[in-house]
Amino acid sequence: DGYTLSLGNWTTHVGAGAVYPVNYDALSDLEPLARLTDTSLLLVGRINLPAKNVKELAAWLKDNPGKASAATIGVGSPAHLCTIAFENTVGTKLSIVPYRGGAPAVQDVVAGQVDLFCGETSVILPHVRSGAVIPFAVASKSRWFAAPEIMTMAEAGVENVDLTIWHGIWVPSGTPKGVISRLHTAVEEGFADQAFRQRLTEQGHQIPPPDQRTPEALRAHHATEIGKWWPIIKAAGLKSP
């Protein structure tokens, strides 16, 4: 109706529908308004791991099946799916250690209590800069702008580990087109504010170009992501506790 907005991301609008018994359909019950920002995932390891790059890590994991541990944040979360995609591609199995948030997960990697973590780059980068963890690769199609020296999974030889935490805004299905148009204009006016853009960039968010921020672009991207990740989630048997 123009007053009810849903601000969400990959977890709420892709993963949740496959993991939890929700009573809505994210594609048909919500009308896309605008895609907002993207944040990357970065696979890191404890500093004393015997592997210093992705190729060495894959070889070490294959030689030591079931011995390595990986931190995750919630069933079916981006961190969890990044780990599963990595397992599937490399052909190994990791011992999953659940955490309540990214900060304690990273802290345990730094402390050597857990071997690996595929988490949000903005949370991990300070520990990469300080040399407290090993940065293996970002799980995205392109390198992360804030740390362009870190290669992508594909560049490191591991395909199909490409999961970006993207954010968007939706309104209830049936919201008048004129309202959607006015709200989208307001979003674009927000992105035109240089101070706002700088604040997002400082927090590790990448702003898509205008043609990827439209309602139509969000609808297409949302459907593609569900089509890609739901089969992986279901094949892994991931369900809410």
Side-chain angles (χ1 to χ4, degrees), residues 35-157:
R35 182 173 168 187
L36 301 178
T37 63
D38 298 339
T39 53
S40 298
L41 291 166
L42 172 61
L43 179 66
V44 297
R46 57 179 170 85
I47 198 65
N48 55 351
L49 273 177
K52 301 306 177 185
N53 57 54
V54 174
K55 185 177 180 180
E56 291 178 359
L57 177 63
W60 180 71
L61 292 173
K62 287 180 180 179
D63 290 340
N64 298 273
K67 292 184 179 181
S69 58
T72 63
I73 308 168
V75 177
S77 67
H80 197 178
L81 266 294
C82 175
T83 303
I84 289 174
F86 184 76
E87 285 180 322
N88 292 344
T89 304
V90 172
T92 189
K93 202 67 179 174
L94 299 166
S95 176
I96 302 298
V97 183
Y99 286 82
R100 292 183 179 274
V106 177
Q107 287 171 3
D108 270 12
V109 176
V110 172
Q113 299 299 313
V114 66
D115 295 317
L116 301 166
F117 178 49
C118 189
E120 192 172 339
T121 43
S122 57
V123 176
I124 296 174
L125 188 59
H127 302 282
V128 173
R129 294 291 188 231
S130 69
V133 296
I134 302 171
F136 286 110
V138 290
S140 56
K141 287 186 173 67
S142 57
R143 297 193 181 195
W144 187 39
F145 69 92
E149 73 278 8
I150 302 175
M151 65 177 60
T152 67
M153 286 284 187
E155 289 174 328

Side-chain angles (χ1 to χ4, degrees), residues 13-14 27 166 217-229:
H13 285 62
V14 177
L27 291 177
W166 51 270
L218 175 56
R219 186 191 305 279
H221 185 68
H222 192 185
T224 297
E225 288 285 274
I226 285 177
K228 174 181 178 179
W229 291 106

